Amino acid sequence: MSFLKRMKEKLMGGPKTEKDVEKEELLDEVAEEEVTVEQSTEEVVEETTVETPKSEVREIVADALPEVVETETEEEPKKEPENEEKRKRGFSAFSITEKFKSGLSKTRNSFTSKVNDLVARYRHVDEEFFEELEDLLLQADVGMETVMELTEKLRFEVQRKNIKNTEGIQALISEKLVEIYEQGEDDITELNIQEGDLTVILFVGVNGVGKTTTIGKLAHRFKQQGKNVLLAAGDTFRAGAIEQLQVWGDRVGVEVIKQSEGSDPAAVMYDAIRAAKNRNADILICDTAGRLQNKVNLMNELEKIHRVISREIPSAPHEVLLALDATTGQNALQQAQIFKEATNVTGIVLTKLDGTAKGGIVLAIRNKLHIPVKFVGLGEQMDDLQPFDSERYVYGLFADALDEQLANDED
């Protein structure tokens, strides 16, 4: 299935299955039967005299329309839940896609407008076109390796399909970007949640990237899913870090396990795991200090935390999420490299993606470090922390052009 078709399905809330079509037909039949019942009831009431009691009218209607009334009684209760389910499903898919579209507006306005100008200037796809495209991608912080891989794939496709002009080239770029990001792997954005057991998520990252805020939003997300969540205030180094996490805990409605400032972070983790087990918690999210000025101390501290956690739960931590500030561009890539050396980072949470014009850093991180982006921050609201979706992300980069091409395909 082509990228454009998959994107259209996500915008519309998913493809219609045979079951969906049967449900819609059933709803139409029920609606027609209701109209028939109403019309028939009106006729019977008109023929009945005024003196006839209402109970007798009901009996006459029931006798006159036994099959119709019976059908209405059996089918009507199914109508509202099906409609509601379909409405929620479609709205959810569309609204999430819109979050990516609005969250990437700065990157799109900067990068995609230049791509549009490039496509308008070049009637034909030639070597000069590819050279200018490379420059634009580098300006968006996509990264040299990713740019080279992308243009190589594009050159191959252009030659294979004998593409002469630039019409539809943005859809091809979008599709190849998704391929490069996913690298043939499925479910790379899924968290390693231990169903029926305690899941420990360790957060790492430098100060000021929005790590504490992200922890609070992720706790809210789990709480909305009905999970029992606990937070561990493991950043005992930065002044005010414990209080900041407590504020988020109060706001979200989850308990925060903490000690005094300057305490041993590993001791906090030990207390938090014990508390999580005693309270039958589903999720334990652990904050850590973000010191990069002394790499040796950082590595030693994270190793100690790992050791304490895995001693209590051998398979934990189940996720090590690195929070990075998207607005820092290539600096975020350098931070990711340092933390990758210090600990086994399983995923990236890219914050403030809505505040940068260089959203291509997502691709650079994935391609250079082979670490998947699992969540992105697309705004300041509680639900603006969204699971990363490569297709919605690329759609957010090229939304205007892809919307136009989707409309043309429908025509």
Side-chain angles (χ1 to χ4, degrees), residues 368-387:
K368 189 174 180 64
L369 300 178
H370 306 291
I371 303 173
V373 176
K374 298 210 171 185
F375 285 90
V376 286
L378 299 171
E380 297 180 358
Q381 300 302 314
M382 194 83 80
D383 62 348
D384 285 337
L385 179 71
Q386 288 292 325

Side-chain angles (χ1 to χ4, degrees), residues 158-282:
V158 166
Q159 186 176 3
R160 186 177 70 86
K161 296 180 179 179
N162 196 27
I163 297 173
K164 299 297 184 183
N165 56 49
T166 56
E167 184 180 350
I169 194 70
Q170 284 153 308
L172 183 59
I173 293 172
S174 302
E175 187 170 354
K176 295 306 168 186
L177 285 174
V178 171
E179 284 181 13
I180 289 172
Y181 182 86
E182 293 181 348
Q183 298 178 7
E185 298 179 39
D186 296 325
D187 300 327
I188 55 176
T189 61
E190 294 292 323
L191 290 178
N192 182 23
I193 301 298
Q194 307 298 298
E195 296 297 339
D197 208 347
L198 175 63
T199 300
V200 180
I201 300 174
L202 190 66
F203 259 86
V204 298
V206 300
N207 298 332
V209 298
K211 179 158 53 77
T212 308
T213 300
T214 301
I215 289 173
K217 289 181 177 180
L218 187 59
H220 169 74
R221 184 178 185 85
F222 284 131
K223 192 86 183 297
Q224 292 296 103
Q225 295 171 1
K227 304 286 188 184
N228 183 8
V229 185
L230 257 68
L231 304 181
D235 186 357
T236 60
F237 180 78
R238 178 171 64 90
I242 299 172
E243 289 78 7
Q244 186 183 0
L245 190 65
Q246 184 63 64
V247 168
W248 269 103
D250 295 339
R251 182 178 177 185
V252 176
V254 299
E255 184 180 357
V256 178
I257 307 301
K258 59 187 178 181
Q259 292 186 11
S260 60
E261 190 174 310
S263 301
D264 183 358
V268 177
M269 300 303 167
Y270 176 82
D271 288 348
I273 289 175
R274 286 300 182 94
K277 287 180 176 179
N278 292 335
R279 292 161 177 72
N280 293 318
D282 301 305

Side-chain angles (χ1 to χ4, degrees), residues 38 67 74 155 170 203 212 240 268 337 339 375 402 405:
E38 289 175 3
E67 295 180 3
E74 290 177 358
R155 284 186 176 95
Q170 284 153 308
F203 259 86
T212 308
V268 177
Q337 184 66 56
F339 275 97
F375 285 90
L402 292 179
Q405 192 160 345

Side-chain angles (χ1 to χ4, degrees), residues 2 23 29 32 46 86 98 119 154 160 171 194 199-200 232 258 373 392:
S2 70
K23 287 178 181 177
E29 289 175 9
E32 289 175 5
E46 285 175 4
K86 191 161 59 173
E98 285 297 298
V119 170
L154 288 174
R160 186 177 70 86
Q194 307 298 298
T199 300
V200 180
K258 59 187 178 181
V373 176
R392 285 190 170 104

